[in-house]
Amino acid sequence: MTTYIRRAAALCLLLLVALLANTARVQVLEADRLLGNPANRRPVLARYAEPRGDILVEGRPVTGSQDTGQTLRYERTYSDGPLYAPVTGHASQTYGTTLVEDAEDGILSGTSPHLAGLPLIGGLGRPGGPGRGRHPAGHVATTIRAGLQRAAYEGLAGRRGAVVALEPSTGRVLALVSSPSYDPALLSGTGAEPAAAWARLNAAPGRPMLNRALHETYPPGSTFKIVTAAAALDAGVVTDVYAPSGTPDPYPLPGTRTLLPNEARGCDDASLAYAVRWSCNTVLARLGVEVGLTRMVAAARSFGFNDADLRVPSRVARSNFDADMSPDRLALSAIGQYDTRATPLQMAMVAAAVADGGEVARPYLVETTTAADGGVVGRAHRETYARAMSPGTARTLGALMVDVVERGSGSNAAIEGAEVGGKTGTAQHGVGNQGTPYAWFIGWARAAGAPRPAVAVAVVVEDAAARREEISGGGSAAPIARAVMESALAAEGGRG
């Protein structure tokens, strides 16, 4: 009898060991495969079982969560959705996450191990399942200023284009607007309505879900002349900005019979100062050739061109300045044409470099991330991105940009009682340059008596409905920039 009991006990022990081994296999070795199995709905149910954390603008939530009582319980809601969509992106139960909703998803969904009281222990759990690394959702405070955001949004008034405003000394993104925009709440849930909205938005000719501020690149036109002027001054190609340049009007492109004309008058033998003030193509094109390809590429890179890894924390499209081209193409690239392309964020960085003494602060959009109880999880700090030019060159270009606003093509950006520097641009594009030109303005503003500029801004307007001859950076884009800069100066005065 004892023999049979021992055999039964041994069998039970063997079965127990097999059960434990299988449990370990399922929970450890097979966990990732099972977690990612499309038939496993537990991660999805857990993700929407609790309210999502909020995205904040000046301490006020611009997002929320709504209890639907459905299987996927909480849907995302948005306050002033179209106004802040280029910042927040969408968090959709059907179409996923974009922009800050995506870049900070771990904090907002409660799956980040940084939300745990003991991060090392919290990190052992696997996000996405009940009791596996999920914590109360945290919140994300942005650097956006509501007044600047609204000024930019209302300035574009539904026209295709974008506005980016930066704080030059820190890199904070103060405004980020893309137009036309959309309400991300339309995509929050599941079923026929979000599907119809998704199809409608994707088919819309204005491409409202395209973030033109971060993800679209444009020929920057004459606004790129600030980069070329900086390269020429730093390289010593120009030592006196008021001396005649010796550049003919029109200018023969090197190695070709093509003559480059000017829209402005008085550009024959014009100085660099005059060429910046009235945007003479010929002078800056010739300077680009004299600086040379290697130094021009290096100068563009120091402002942020050709960087495919820039994040704010959302991905930013790569702005382009060709590293291999003939002298005639270099001449065109030096005035923001040919294959030169830039995001509005990139051109705001160019303006900010001049405003901050030649140094480019790395732009960022998230100020702090916090746990549900308000404890700070992460905080952004100023970081130098690159030195784009010497301080002396920055002072010289700053004076030339002030001259553009006070005496030249950027007069529509002038603000009474403030120092404003700017550069207009009208970028040609399309086959044979027959497309409606893009209107650009980049600039910065400093309040009277202030130690440094409060804001740097870039505006691009691609208005297909306007008549070609009526589009210019000074006429279309500069007034929008002025409104944004006025808002920044008013906010700085209020804080003071």
Side-chain angles (χ1 to χ4, degrees):
M1 189 65 167
T2 303
T3 301
Y4 292 115
I5 293 175
R6 288 176 178 172
R7 291 177 179 174
L11 179 61
C12 290
L13 180 61
L14 181 62
L15 292 174
L16 179 61
V17 170
L19 179 62
L20 292 174
N22 187 62
T23 300
R25 179 185 65 81
V26 170
Q27 294 189 347
V28 179
L29 300 179
E30 299 290 328
D32 290 335
R33 183 181 65 81
L34 294 173
L35 190 64
N37 191 312
N40 181 12
R41 299 200 66 204
R42 294 182 68 200
V44 176
L45 295 175
R47 179 179 179 84
Y48 300 108
E50 300 293 336
R52 189 171 173 83
D54 283 324
I55 298 173
L56 312 177
V57 171
E58 294 186 313
R60 181 181 71 87
V62 296
T63 60
S65 294
Q66 174 183 319
D67 189 349
T68 65
Q70 303 298 315
T71 303
L72 302 182
R73 184 172 174 182
Y74 284 94
E75 287 183 5
R76 196 55 148 166
T77 61
Y78 295 88
S79 303
D80 293 317
L83 176 63
Y84 292 111
V87 177
T88 63
H90 63 252
S92 169
Q93 294 175 348
T94 305
Y95 301 106
T97 55
T98 59
L99 301 176
V100 170
E101 292 275 30
D102 181 64
E104 299 294 344
D105 183 65
I107 296 293
L108 296 168
S109 65
T111 59
S112 172
H114 298 294
L115 293 172
L118 296 175
L120 290 178
I121 295 176
L124 295 176
R126 296 180 186 274
R132 309 184 82 182
R134 184 171 295 280
H135 314 285
H139 306 296
V140 174
T142 71
T143 57
I144 295 294
R145 298 293 178 259
L148 277 70
Q149 185 79 1
R150 190 166 293 279
Y153 182 77
E154 293 178 351
L156 284 170
R159 289 175 292 175
R160 298 181 189 182
V163 179
V164 177
L166 301 175
E167 187 174 61
S169 60
T170 64
R172 290 186 178 96
V173 180
L174 305 180
L176 186 72
V177 170
S178 176
S179 177
S181 188
Y182 73 106
D183 187 354
L186 296 172
L187 307 175
S188 291
T190 60
E193 291 185 8
W198 177 264
R200 184 173 65 254
L201 290 169
N202 277 291
R207 298 190 295 169
M209 288 197 295
L210 170 65
N211 190 321
R212 289 172 162 86
L214 300 179
H215 299 159
E216 183 72 303
T217 59
Y218 302 89
S222 293
T223 58
F224 188 82
K225 292 172 181 175
I226 298 299
V227 176
T228 301
L233 288 165
D234 272 351
V237 173
V238 174
T239 56
D240 182 356
V241 297
Y242 299 104
S245 65
T247 307
D249 181 12
Y251 167 63
L253 293 178
T256 75
R257 297 181 180 179
T258 302
L259 298 178
L260 179 67
N262 289 295
E263 295 287 341
R265 297 179 179 178
C267 292
D268 186 44
D269 196 26
S271 66
L272 177 59
Y274 186 93
V276 171
R277 182 193 308 159
W278 294 111
S279 209
C280 297
N281 291 332
T282 51
V283 174
L284 275 301
R286 180 180 177 182
L287 282 180
V289 174
E290 292 182 356
V291 169
L293 179 62
T294 300
R295 289 187 294 192
M296 279 298 300
V297 171
R301 178 63 183 84
S302 68
F303 281 96
F305 284 81
N306 298 339
D307 183 358
D309 298 321
L310 186 62
R311 302 287 188 275
V312 291
S314 307
R315 179 189 66 83
V316 180
R318 176 184 180 273
S319 297
N320 181 70
F321 187 84
D322 282 0
D324 183 14
M325 51 184 160
S326 58
D328 59 314
R329 291 173 175 176
L330 175 59
L332 294 175
S333 296
I335 59 172
Q337 298 291 343
Y338 187 55
D339 283 342
T340 304
R341 296 186 71 86
T343 62
L345 174 68
Q346 172 62 76
M347 296 315 298
M349 292 168 66
V350 171
V354 177
D356 197 37
E359 192 169 272
V360 183
R362 185 175 294 277
Y364 63 94
L365 185 56
V366 172
E367 191 77 68
T368 57
T369 53
T370 60
D373 61 5
V376 175
V377 174
R379 186 186 302 277
H381 299 282
R382 186 198 184 280
E383 179 182 347
T384 298
Y385 176 79
R387 172 156 288 283
M389 68 194 95
S390 69
T393 292
R395 286 192 296 271
T396 299
L397 281 181
L400 296 186
M401 291 178 75
V402 170
D403 188 53
V404 169
V405 174
E406 293 183 350
R407 302 172 56 197
S409 59
S411 59
N412 282 336
I415 300 173
E416 185 175 356
E419 182 182 56
V420 178
K423 183 70 190 79
T424 59
T426 306
Q428 311 293 330
H429 72 102
V431 178
N433 287 334
Q434 293 304 304
T436 303
Y438 298 136
W440 278 95
F441 183 87
I442 64 171
W444 49 267
R446 171 168 44 203
R452 61 177 63 91
V455 63
V457 65
V459 178
V460 63
V461 180
E462 43 165 315
D463 188 357
R467 292 195 307 171
R468 180 184 177 94
E469 61 270 21
E470 292 178 349
I471 288 200
S472 71
S476 298
I480 301 172
R482 181 184 65 232
V484 174
M485 292 188 290
E486 284 176 334
S487 181
L489 295 175
E492 184 183 58
R495 287 194 298 271

